[in-house]
Amino acid sequence: MIQHKKMLELVNHLHTAVEACIDKNDLKTLLVDLVEFTRMHFSTEEQLMKKYDFPGFAKHHQEHRMLLKHLGYLVTAVSNGEYPTFYSDYDVSTDWALLHITDFDISLGAFLNSKNVY
Ligand SMILES: [Fe+2]
Ligand SMILES: [Fe+2]
């Protein structure tokens, strides 16, 4: 899915920005862009899951909510002047996006393909 490519680009961008210790305000902008895109992407998937009656909807939806909560937590932390780190409460590693795509989205993709949705 083309949206996954864009989402991973945004996640990688954020990761690189934190490594480079960019300015907090610039970091917040990147984070907000990522959150907005992720929200839109999750909603796209959820609409397709509902439309085609995907059997794993409840679990997948719950996972999306959990990830958005994590991202919301990061936005609050950065807004409060904290600087995110890797593999902590303020984790900005790329893992969450990659794991979600491999653990959840691949099976959704296969299901949608079987319904002739690509
Ligand atoms: Fe998903
Ligand atoms: Fe996805």
Side-chain angles (χ1 to χ4, degrees):
M1 189 188 230
I2 191 98
Q3 287 184 0
H4 284 152
K5 190 169 173 270
K6 169 81 177 163
M7 189 168 131
L8 288 174
E9 273 169 18
L10 290 170
V11 172
N12 281 327
H13 194 175
L14 183 71
H15 184 113
T16 310
V18 170
E19 268 179 344
C21 295
I22 66 157
D23 175 78
K24 269 181 203 163
N25 286 328
D26 295 341
L27 187 69
K28 194 181 165 198
T29 306
L30 289 182
L31 196 52
V32 168
D33 285 351
L34 172 64
V35 172
E36 278 173 12
F37 189 84
T38 303
R39 212 178 276 286
M40 183 278 292
H41 167 62
F42 285 176
S43 139
T44 304
E45 282 187 357
E46 285 156 19
Q47 279 165 23
L48 286 168
M49 285 192 264
K50 273 193 231 166
K51 185 173 176 188
Y52 293 95
D53 223 358
F54 179 59
F57 175 77
K59 202 161 188 291
H60 200 136
H61 185 233
Q62 192 187 17
E63 183 76 9
H64 282 173
R65 289 176 71 94
M66 198 196 76
L67 292 173
L68 285 175
K69 209 167 144 185
H70 172 73
L71 287 172
Y73 185 47
L74 261 173
V75 173
T76 307
V78 172
S79 303
N80 289 339
E82 312 226 26
Y83 209 85
T85 52
F86 296 101
Y87 308 107
S88 68
D89 286 348
Y90 306 125
D91 187 12
V92 285
S93 74
T94 51
D95 292 8
W96 66 269
L98 284 172
L99 286 174
H100 180 72
I101 290 169
T102 53
D103 290 353
F104 287 85
D105 294 344
I106 283 178
S107 60
L108 172 62
F111 171 82
L112 290 173
N113 292 350
S114 77
K115 306 281 177 193
N116 291 322
V117 180
Y118 297 93

